[in-house]
Amino acid sequence: MLLGMITKKILDFDHQLSRIFGEFINPHEYDTRENLDGKYDIIFCHRDSVQDDFQSIKPYCNSDTKVIVDITTESGNLQIFLDKFKNLTDIEKFQFYLIVDTDLSNYKNQIDLKYIVLDGFDLVFYAFLNNSSDNFLDNKNEIFANKHGFLSLNNSCRIHRVVLLLNLIKRNISLENCSFLFSTGGPNGSKFDSNVYNDTINELHIDGLITDTDLSILKAIHVPINLDYDLNKHTYIINRINNVYSPIINLVTENVMGMTKGDISPYELITFTEKIIKPFLAKQIPLFIALPGLQTELRKMGFDLFDDVIDKTYESVIDGATKINLILDELEILLKMDLVEFKNKNSVRFQNNYDLLYTLSKSGENKIKSFLYDKILK
């Protein structure tokens, strides 16, 4: 840790510098929008500020200012951002740097970029698992899955989560350890909006993705379904492993999976969030509803996805509804097993997945440190 050695004038424009640089840059070594002071050598920015309102940043730039755009933990719908960022960086003459927690190799090989990139899946592990991060994923109480059953925690209102709920109900699979908050974001946090939910299910019906009977089921079910939040208030999801994670299976729905236009990149870019990390942190068997290719990348990193008991055929399926039903086939097979016995007999495999998280996080840390001192502060 090399704190206290920075001489550049730095601005943290969006209060997120600590996410991946908090271990290396002290708060007293940079300004925020609350204490702006002229122009800066280096400005750290949020994704939204750069793609939607770069004009608000420009008054604080010199001709040689380095603009660092950190979109780690926020790389959903990545292609949309990359298109906008390329347009911006082709026009503006500042020194731009992009930090992104995925592998951009295919994109970089085909597109002429006028900015410097730091990319890699190991960055997502560091972004969530370092103590300084504003998105720190906490399991300090070392709570690990220990009981038969499955868990599925679903927050924002997205088509694939609605389809998942519908099919769980149709299969008569218990929702005892499930939450479907179907929340919509706002300036004060997220909250269930019945209008958004009804618009979503009606759109599914109009598009022919659900039947008349399905629509009736979705209208009849009492939503939101909640486990551990006060729904009378705006919800801010806490990144913490708690007793809710005691079931041995975790059925995860990523924010994007390909059911909505724009999810899938023509450059086959794979992105994921803390939702993918949590099953490994809680030592669970993961089932992922996510972009095609995610599991392949996780295996390349070294994760054990328990292919001996899970048929991975569903992973390459593009059609979202078909994929969800294939995953539920696997879930029902797993639920017929003695999951506690399986976990006890395979404890080393769960531990190896857990340990790998921190190996990858350390790799991400080393990469961030080198990039900071060799590129940004140089």
Side-chain angles (χ1 to χ4, degrees):
M1 193 178 299
L2 301 174
L3 295 170
M5 298 177 60
I6 295 172
T7 58
K8 301 286 186 179
K9 190 176 179 184
I10 299 174
L11 172 62
D12 179 11
F13 194 78
D14 292 299
H15 299 282
Q16 70 172 56
L17 182 149
S18 65
R19 180 172 303 163
I20 57 174
F21 294 105
E23 296 292 307
F24 312 109
I25 305 177
N26 262 324
H28 71 262
E29 295 178 303
Y30 59 85
D31 294 340
T32 65
R33 274 194 271 185
E34 284 69 35
N35 61 333
L36 290 166
D37 181 24
K39 298 183 183 294
Y40 291 85
D41 301 312
I42 303 169
I43 300 179
F44 289 87
C45 305
H46 185 278
R47 165 180 179 159
D48 292 342
S49 294
V50 170
Q51 74 179 21
D52 299 329
D53 191 21
F54 186 69
Q55 295 305 311
S56 65
I57 299 172
K58 287 181 70 172
Y60 309 105
C61 295
N62 294 305
S63 59
D64 58 353
T65 293
K66 294 181 177 181
V67 180
I68 317 302
V69 186
D70 170 20
I71 65 170
T72 57
T73 79
E74 298 172 3
S75 54
N77 292 321
L78 178 57
Q79 191 60 54
I80 295 174
F81 169 78
L82 290 174
D83 292 342
K84 290 184 177 181
F85 193 54
K86 185 180 188 310
N87 290 337
L88 175 69
T89 54
D90 283 348
I91 296 171
E92 299 290 350
K93 302 305 179 184
F94 303 105
Q95 300 177 59
F96 287 94
Y97 298 74
L98 176 65
I99 303 174
V100 57
D101 49 3
T102 187
D103 181 357
L104 284 186
S105 297
N106 287 342
Y107 183 72
K108 291 187 293 184
N109 289 338
Q110 298 180 56
I111 302 296
D112 179 27
L113 303 179
K114 296 182 179 178
Y115 56 87
I116 296 172
V117 178
L118 177 66
D119 62 328
F121 290 113
D122 48 356
L123 300 181
V124 72
F125 298 98
Y126 183 67
F128 283 112
L129 295 174
N130 83 83
N131 291 321
S132 297
S133 175
D134 56 345
N135 280 313
F136 177 55
L137 182 49
D138 178 14
N139 192 11
K140 63 183 178 183
N141 294 323
E142 296 189 337
I143 295 173
F144 303 120
N146 59 10
K147 76 176 187 180
H148 186 87
F150 86 101
L151 161 78
S152 188
L153 304 179
N154 303 276
N155 181 19
S156 56
C157 188
R158 297 180 185 267
I159 288 174
H160 57 289
R161 290 177 179 143
V162 174
V163 173
L164 173 62
L165 173 60
L166 171 66
N167 283 283
L168 286 169
I169 294 170
K170 290 170 70 172
R171 288 173 180 248
N172 199 30
I173 298 175
S174 172
L175 301 177
E176 177 185 2
N177 296 306
C178 298
S179 67
F180 288 88
L181 303 182
F182 292 143
S183 61
T184 300
N188 299 314
S190 299
K191 202 167 186 179
F192 175 73
D193 185 327
S194 59
N195 292 324
V196 172
Y197 174 75
N198 286 322
D199 286 346
T200 301
I201 64 175
N202 287 328
E203 179 182 342
L204 282 167
H205 185 244
I206 291 169
D207 291 344
L209 296 174
I210 61 174
T211 65
D212 292 346
T213 302
D214 294 337
L215 182 63
S216 298
I217 292 172
L218 290 171
K219 286 184 175 181
I221 186 69
H222 178 72
V223 289
I225 299 170
N226 177 46
L227 287 179
D228 55 350
Y229 288 95
D230 181 356
L231 298 184
N232 293 315
K233 303 176 181 178
H234 283 88
T235 302
Y236 180 79
I237 300 298
I238 300 173
N239 271 347
R240 181 180 301 134
I241 302 298
N242 55 27
N243 290 326
V244 171
Y245 287 80
S246 58
I248 290 173
I249 300 170
N250 192 340
L251 175 56
V252 176
T253 58
E254 258 296 358
N255 287 340
V256 295
M257 68 154 294
M259 284 191 79
T260 303
K261 185 178 180 181
D263 284 356
I264 297 180
S265 164
Y267 305 98
E268 300 179 342
L269 303 177
I270 304 295
T271 62
F272 60 89
T273 67
E274 80 286 353
K275 298 172 185 65
I276 301 303
I277 297 175
K278 287 178 178 179
F280 301 123
L281 196 60
K283 298 183 181 179
Q284 296 169 304
I285 297 173
L287 287 171
F288 296 127
I289 299 175
L291 288 172
L294 169 70
Q295 288 91 338
T296 298
E297 295 299 333
L298 291 173
R299 290 188 187 92
K300 289 179 184 176
M301 294 178 222
F303 286 106
D304 184 343
L305 301 185
F306 303 96
D307 295 334
D308 51 327
V309 292
I310 300 172
D311 183 345
K312 60 183 181 181
T313 303
Y314 76 86
E315 297 174 10
S316 60
V317 173
I318 301 298
D319 180 73
T322 302
K323 174 178 284 191
I324 287 171
N325 273 297
L326 289 172
I327 291 173
L328 293 183
D329 288 344
E330 296 307 305
L331 174 63
E332 291 188 305
I333 291 171
L334 290 170
L335 290 174
K336 293 176 182 177
M337 295 171 48
D338 185 331
L339 294 173
V340 174
E341 180 184 27
F342 177 83
K343 184 168 184 185
N344 289 337
K345 287 183 176 179
N346 294 274
S347 59
V348 172
R349 298 169 69 182
F350 291 91
Q351 184 64 43
N352 287 343
N353 279 342
Y354 178 87
D355 292 342
L356 182 56
L357 292 175
Y358 294 96
T359 299
L360 291 166
S361 178
K362 185 63 178 178
S363 172
E365 177 183 4
N366 291 337
K367 191 180 287 186
I368 288 291
K369 182 178 178 180
S370 295
F371 194 71
L372 176 64
Y373 289 99
D374 295 342
K375 299 289 187 182
I376 298 175
L377 296 178
K378 191 172 181 180

